[in-house]
Amino acid sequence: MMYDQIKEKIDAQQRLSPDEGLWLIQECDVHRLGSLANSVRERLWGNRTFYNVNRHINYSNICELNCAFCSFQRKRGQDGAYEFSIDEIVKRAGEAVEAGATEVHMVGGLHPDYRLEWYGEMLSALRSRYPELHLKAFTAVEIDYFAKISGKNVQEVLQYLIDCGLGSMPGGGAEVFSDRIQAKLFPDKTCAKRWLEIHDTAHRLGLRTNATMLYGHIETDEEIIEHMRILREQQDRSGGFQTFIPLAYHPKNNRLHGSLSTGLHDLRIVATARLMLDNFPHIKAFWIMLGVKLSQVALNFGIDDLDGTVVEERITHMAGATTPEGLTVREIEFLISEAKREPVERTTLYERVVRDSETGAVMSNAPLHTLA
């Protein structure tokens, strides 16, 4: 029986095949699938569930691309187009610091007028004003674009940004690693091979990064499993991915339209990811896209991280998300505790944050270790 075969491999900490992953998504009873994923989650992290105090700053939605699934991008002069000045970005980061944030997460469109130096100045201004704040910024798609507009190679671009204050990279822009899907939905965007090369270079330079997958549009289950297999092989090579974040497509206000993924399918995706991606430390529920309630349920389906407070998210909300734009620490800790898990505040690089109980100020960061 396929379930018994897979359970035996999971218990022995052996790698699953793509065919086994496909069976999990398509055939396995969802409760048994969740139990398998939860066993791995608890072997690694016990009852701990991680979150961070952060703020998203989507600095501009003006973008040269026109991806079919994107509701965020605008052209200059189009209704809804916006761009923040560096002063405005610093101001928002200051608000985040006052609220206790340890991280700002910054991504935006491929702006036709900004040069590489603008992004360096932005990082330098933030590092100078708030040296304690971790700067997680720029998807591989943005890095690819910076290389094109500057005439530099990816390593030179990344080293320049690191020197300016870049601390890590998010995992956006991966979408689904499929030539078929790219040709239909985002033909001009960074391809899978290039995305992987950029993260490989980042890892070699000492940057930690995340990895994502956008699902719920025109992809097949086979393409989902292939995406996970490719990420797993890249992690074997470079080892710098911290977490995998499945992102549920939202269909409003874009050319692709379609419908929302179902809750059962979402749970199958996150649980299968935990089982297939055996070399990824963390699987994250981005509650903005998955939904607050389902993210809480997913803590029993392999998820060990609920992202963070976020505060102001634009990309998914412009695609019709009805989730809050931010959660308080109290709300996040309640969601985790109600699920009978232990809330643990972390830094971007997965250190435990220790705060003064009276002032809330960060006192120290302590290493986190898996239980496996």
Side-chain angles (χ1 to χ4, degrees), residues 87-238:
D87 286 345
E88 176 64 19
I89 294 167
V90 171
K91 175 177 177 292
R92 289 168 185 261
E95 293 168 355
V97 170
E98 289 178 7
T102 59
E103 169 197 292
V104 289
H105 176 132
M106 298 180 291
V107 299
L110 307 186
H111 199 294
D113 298 330
Y114 292 172
R115 302 295 94 190
L116 175 62
E117 290 72 22
W118 186 91
Y119 299 97
E121 290 169 9
M122 176 180 72
L123 293 174
S124 295
L126 289 167
R127 183 175 62 176
S128 173
R129 184 67 181 84
Y130 305 109
E132 73 278 20
L133 197 59
H134 183 97
L135 307 181
K136 181 170 75 175
F138 313 132
T139 67
V141 177
E142 290 168 278
I143 298 298
D144 190 22
Y145 183 66
F146 298 165
K148 291 175 182 176
I149 62 175
S150 67
K152 300 178 182 294
N153 62 39
V154 167
Q155 180 167 326
E156 291 169 333
V157 167
L158 285 171
Q159 189 60 62
Y160 167 73
L161 295 173
I162 290 169
D163 292 343
C164 292
L166 180 65
S168 66
M169 284 173 55
E175 319 314 356
V176 180
F177 297 148
S178 162
D179 292 341
R180 179 189 73 88
I181 292 175
Q182 176 158 18
K184 289 188 175 184
L185 300 187
F186 49 99
D188 300 322
K189 200 169 191 174
T190 303
C191 69
K193 180 181 179 182
R194 180 72 165 168
W195 189 98
L196 293 162
E197 288 173 350
I198 290 167
H199 280 265
D200 181 83
T201 302
H203 297 168
R204 286 190 285 104
L205 290 174
L207 284 179
R208 291 289 179 261
T209 75
N210 294 335
T212 62
M213 177 184 69
L214 184 70
Y215 69 91
H217 41 89
I218 67 169
E219 83 287 347
T220 65
D221 292 337
E222 289 81 0
E223 286 166 330
I224 287 172
I225 296 300
E226 178 65 3
H227 185 94
M228 294 179 186
R229 184 194 67 78
I230 292 170
L231 282 176
R232 189 170 68 181
E233 290 189 355
Q234 179 60 54
Q235 182 76 328
D236 283 342
R237 290 190 294 270
S238 59

Side-chain angles (χ1 to χ4, degrees), residues 32 45 51 58 75 80 150 184 195 203 228 241 275 321 324 334 364:
R32 300 182 92 184
W45 301 110
Y51 72 91
N58 302 129
K75 303 305 178 188
S150 67
K184 289 188 175 184
W195 189 98
H203 297 168
M228 294 179 186
F241 290 121
L275 296 171
F334 173 77
S364 63

Side-chain angles (χ1 to χ4, degrees), residues 273-291:
R274 178 62 286 170
L275 296 171
M276 286 293 292
L277 297 174
D278 52 72
N279 53 5
F280 273 65
H282 304 279
I283 308 293
K284 180 189 293 187
F286 186 42
W287 59 261
I288 289 282
M289 298 184 90
L290 195 60

